[in-house]
């Protein structure tokens, strides 16, 4: 079954149904709002879109994926008790572009000019809603680096579109999670349930391994 690393804001559009520049608009950490897509030359903005050399059309993005590794962040949302022990783990239920239902993590690309911290916060908010209230340290450090390859068997992780390098984090959340984008719901479970073989079999791209690594990194596996 083909599996894919989710992308941020795949259908971000303005009020006239024009695709927006993903470096601007609601949820971006900088910029003054969305702009139309490029004019066809590699990386060049359309007239009136300001100065944004980072925007790529769908065709250019596909070409970049064919030639370059893509940088992602992934997050395992957790709830903790008063002394910081993980008590619950949040797993997303997501509809894939192929119409399949699968389990996955908060995930998405790092934008040009964006810090890893800002990218992590943006994707947690995109997938879990603005009231999730993630607790991010001033300088987040990933618990591991996951490498996704389009060829199965190269690593424990697979993405049929691209070679992706993902910085993976455990992120405590303290608020109410209301999934958005293509996330259908977030299921809260115990660390033991999250590390089970049954859940691992439902997760896309080998992310069951990533969940276990995350839980081991915070001492939540027994």
């Amino acid at each position: 079954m083909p599996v894919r690393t989710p992308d941020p804001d795949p259908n971000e559009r303005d009020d006239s149904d024009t695709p927006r520049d993903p470096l601007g608009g609601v949820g971006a950490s900088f910029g003054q709002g969305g702009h139309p897509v490029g004019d066809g030359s590699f990386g060049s903005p359309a007239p009136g879109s300001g100065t944004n050399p980072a925007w790529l059309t769908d065709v250019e993005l596909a070409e970049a994926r064919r030639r370059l590794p893509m940088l992602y962040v992934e997050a395992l949302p957790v709830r903790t008790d008063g002394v910081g022990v993980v008590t619950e783990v949040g797993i997303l239920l997501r509809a894939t572009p192929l119409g399949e239902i699968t389990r996955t993590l908060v995930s998405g690309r790092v934008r040009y000019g964006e810090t890893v911290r800002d990218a992590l916060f943006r994707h947690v908010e995109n997938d879990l809603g603005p009231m999730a209230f993630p607790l991010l340290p001033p300088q987040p450090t990933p618990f591991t680096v996951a490498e996704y390859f389009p060829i199965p068997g190269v690593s424990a992780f697979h993405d049929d579109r691209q070679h992706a390098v993902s910085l993976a984090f455990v992120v405590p959340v303290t608020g109410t999670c209301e999934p958005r984008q293509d996330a259908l719901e977030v299921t809260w479970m115990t660390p033991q349930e999250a590390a089970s073989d049954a859940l691992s079999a439902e997760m896309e791209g080998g992310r069951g391994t990533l969940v276990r690594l995350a839980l081991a990194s915070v001492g939540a596996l027994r």
Side-chain angles (χ1 to χ4, degrees):
M1 178 185 69
V3 291
R4 301 172 182 273
T5 304
D7 289 324
D9 309 328
N11 297 303
E12 193 172 24
R13 294 173 179 269
D14 61 20
D15 292 338
S16 63
D17 202 38
T18 301
R20 286 183 182 272
D21 172 356
L23 289 180
V26 177
S29 57
F30 52 88
Q32 298 297 320
H35 302 295
V37 298
D39 61 2
S41 58
F42 192 89
S44 64
S49 64
T51 56
N52 176 17
W55 169 251
L56 299 178
T57 66
D58 290 344
V59 173
E60 291 167 344
L61 178 58
E63 180 67 12
R65 280 175 163 156
R66 192 174 69 86
R67 295 173 178 267
L68 301 168
M70 307 298 290
L71 180 61
Y72 280 74
V73 292
E74 293 187 277
L76 179 69
V78 300
R79 297 195 186 279
T80 61
D81 62 15
V83 294
V85 175
V86 172
T87 57
E88 291 184 297
V89 178
I91 303 294
L92 292 177
L93 186 69
R94 189 189 299 274
T96 71
L98 301 177
E100 299 163 335
I101 304 299
T102 186
R103 299 282 185 179
T104 191
L105 306 179
V106 172
S107 177
R109 292 199 307 271
V110 179
R111 293 171 176 169
Y112 177 86
E114 184 178 42
T115 66
V116 168
R117 187 178 192 278
D118 285 344
L120 189 58
F121 184 88
R122 175 171 59 86
H123 287 299
V124 171
E125 184 179 76
N126 281 348
D127 281 346
L128 301 183
M131 304 302 291
F133 299 141
L135 300 179
L136 300 181
Q139 185 61 45
T141 301
F143 66 84
T144 195
V145 176
E147 295 182 272
Y148 292 83
F149 291 91
I151 304 172
V154 178
S155 76
F157 310 104
H158 174 242
D159 185 322
D160 66 336
R161 297 170 306 170
Q162 63 188 344
H163 175 195
V165 177
S166 177
L167 308 179
F169 301 84
V170 176
V171 178
V173 295
T174 60
T176 301
C177 295
E178 297 289 344
R180 304 192 303 173
Q181 305 282 341
D182 58 348
L184 303 177
E185 68 175 32
V186 57
T187 303
W188 293 97
M189 55 188 68
T190 66
Q192 290 72 31
E193 291 171 334
S196 67
D197 291 339
L199 181 70
S200 182
E202 297 180 15
M203 300 201 72
E204 63 178 3
R207 286 181 175 82
T209 298
L210 202 58
V211 170
R212 289 169 175 163
L213 290 173
L215 294 174
S217 73
V218 295
L221 289 184
R222 297 290 186 267

